[in-house]
Amino acid sequence: MHVALVSLDEDATAEWAVPAGESLGTPVTGLAGELVARGYDVSIVTMCEPTGMTLSYEHESSARLDVLRVGHRESLPNGRLDGLCTSLRARRPDLIHAFGAAAGRVAERVARSLRVPWVWTRRDGAPAQIEGTERFCPAGADRIIVSTSWEVDVLARDGVPRDKCDVVPLSIVGDVRGSYLEPSIANRASRIATVADDTGEGLADLVRALPNLPAAHLTVAWQRSRGGTSAALADLRVLGAQFHVADRISVLPDATPSRVHDALCRADLVAYTPRRDPSLRVVSAAMACGVPALVTSLGGTDELVEHGVTGLCIPPGDPRRIASAVRILDDAPEVRSSMSRASRKRARELFDQARIADGTLESYAAAGAPVAVAVRGGR
């Protein structure tokens, strides 16, 4: 069977070690590596500069992987989308799996013309990306894959049938199968890490909590999107100076997935406290690193973090509650160590690439694709 994976909102092959298939990039590459290892032919269509780049290799399973890299969406002329559809159509996949709204539009056009099923996975991120999904990703998708049951509820309110949705966690940055360094209980919870994007969502509350945490240092791994602005980063620096904590804030600008992974692994605690639009990928990456997570309870985060077991969940928008939660973990190193082990164990259960591929293939089969779900390596 030939599967086409389409992701037009980011470079789906970022930092991917091809042909080893070990990904520090995106969910697309991790899934592609697992499918190819099982004997499925895979085509990846993704955004990248320079345009027109292609890559092809044959796996020892005899399956083939080819990658078509096109220009970023904002740089594509209107007619280029037609050319992209033509290129995808020429590959004649048996199923198209689209990641994100733009890819969904392409997938629907090509799948309709080829009369093949297509599956849609929403991009990780905000409730705003889920609300009104049918307006962005047409209801013609044969299956929709989401990461949490919370997303199913939101989609249902927008008219998407619940029985069309499959809950399959997204793959993450890092390796959940390998070993990891368990933090020493002798350490205080002083090294706090977080991840931010162009919005800077949640950072203000963390900065406001720092004056009540005199021993804490905050590292911000900043993932700026292509064409993104630095306004939120400037606001962070102003706020740090205003609260006299600027010397306890470090920023990793334009952080790549591997730098984000390293920053989380070095931390005693990952604090991710947005008031809206959470990224589940940040939470799951912290779990994979075996680092306790302090998260605000919204957007499905509390489905990943088990309060009091793998981390702490608090209401959004309360810097004092953030400081209080950090102090609780700071005063209980044994609890923090226990959370670290439990977090890593849960990550291995949820985010193992083989299990994710199993769930994805079941969704493909439900969509009508010729999948041998029970046979690893079957085509």
Side-chain angles (χ1 to χ4, degrees):
M1 187 178 89
H2 180 192
V3 178
L5 306 178
V6 185
S7 176
L8 302 182
D9 295 300
E10 60 185 343
D11 178 10
T13 57
E15 301 192 39
W16 190 30
V18 177
E22 297 177 359
S23 171
L24 281 177
T26 69
V28 177
T29 51
L31 177 60
E34 187 69 28
L35 292 179
V36 170
R38 297 184 185 207
Y40 293 94
D41 293 327
V42 176
S43 294
I44 297 178
V45 180
T46 187
M47 291 288 178
C48 185
E49 299 287 1
T51 64
M53 294 177 61
T54 59
L55 168 71
S56 180
Y57 86 97
E58 184 170 333
H59 190 268
E60 60 184 13
S61 67
S62 297
R64 293 198 62 79
L65 168 71
D66 68 278
V67 179
L68 172 64
R69 295 184 174 107
V70 297
H72 288 277
R73 261 192 310 150
E74 56 267 33
S75 68
L76 295 180
N78 292 333
R80 186 66 178 276
L81 192 61
D82 292 332
L84 177 58
C85 290
T86 299
S87 297
L88 180 57
R89 196 177 292 115
R91 283 164 167 75
R92 302 198 65 82
D94 298 300
L95 176 136
I96 302 173
H97 186 169
F99 294 76
R105 297 188 184 100
V106 171
E108 184 185 40
R109 289 176 57 179
V110 176
R112 184 187 298 129
S113 65
L114 293 179
R115 297 183 179 179
V116 298
W118 68 286
V119 173
W120 184 74
T121 293
R122 82 165 188 93
R123 288 192 65 208
D124 173 62
Q129 293 178 325
I130 308 173
E131 300 284 1
T133 295
E134 294 296 285
R135 294 191 295 274
F136 298 101
C137 184
D142 295 283
R143 303 299 296 177
I144 293 176
I145 296 177
V146 295
S147 297
T148 64
S149 59
W150 172 84
E151 298 162 81
V152 177
D153 293 338
V154 174
L155 289 169
R157 292 198 297 271
D158 201 52
V160 178
R162 290 178 180 273
D163 59 5
K164 180 183 278 191
C165 300
D166 300 309
V167 178
V168 181
L170 289 173
S171 61
I172 57 176
V173 173
D175 177 19
V176 297
R177 299 179 187 176
S179 60
Y180 79 107
L181 181 62
E182 182 177 327
S184 170
I185 63 173
N187 292 340
R188 308 289 291 183
S190 57
R191 297 174 299 179
I192 303 173
T194 192
V195 181
D197 59 17
D198 296 335
T199 67
E201 179 59 39
L203 284 180
D205 288 335
L206 284 176
V207 173
R208 289 186 173 96
L210 282 179
N212 294 315
L213 301 167
H217 185 280
L218 176 65
T219 297
V220 182
W222 202 280
Q223 292 189 305
R224 191 168 68 180
S225 64
R226 185 180 186 273
T229 66
S230 57
L233 181 56
D235 291 343
L236 170 66
R237 288 170 174 153
V238 170
L239 198 61
Q242 178 183 341
F243 282 87
H244 308 289
V245 293
D247 60 332
R248 293 193 282 126
I249 301 175
S250 299
V251 176
L252 303 177
D254 300 318
T256 61
S258 58
R259 291 192 74 192
V260 171
H261 178 72
D262 290 344
L264 298 186
C265 285
R266 293 192 186 101
D268 302 310
L269 172 71
V270 172
Y272 183 61
T273 58
R275 297 190 179 196
R276 60 182 180 87
D277 303 352
S279 170
L280 299 181
R281 245 195 263 183
V282 174
V283 181
S284 56
M287 294 168 62
C289 293
V291 180
L294 169 62
V295 301
T296 43
S297 299
L298 75 167
T301 56
D302 51 2
E303 290 187 42
L304 298 181
V305 176
E306 186 176 356
H307 181 70
V309 178
T310 63
L312 297 178
C313 301
I314 61 174
D318 191 340
R320 292 183 180 178
R321 186 74 68 90
I322 293 172
S324 176
V326 172
R327 286 195 297 268
I328 288 173
L329 294 178
D330 192 36
D331 294 337
E334 295 85 359
V335 172
R336 220 168 54 245
S337 181
S338 175
M339 285 182 173
S340 174
R341 293 190 298 272
S343 182
R344 178 69 175 184
K345 180 177 182 291
R346 182 159 171 77
R348 290 173 66 95
E349 294 170 351
L350 287 178
F351 308 119
D352 179 77
Q353 193 59 251
R355 297 183 66 171
I356 292 171
D358 287 342
T360 302
L361 286 170
E362 289 176 3
S363 189
Y364 291 175
V371 174
V373 175
V375 183
R376 185 181 178 91
R379 292 175 82 172

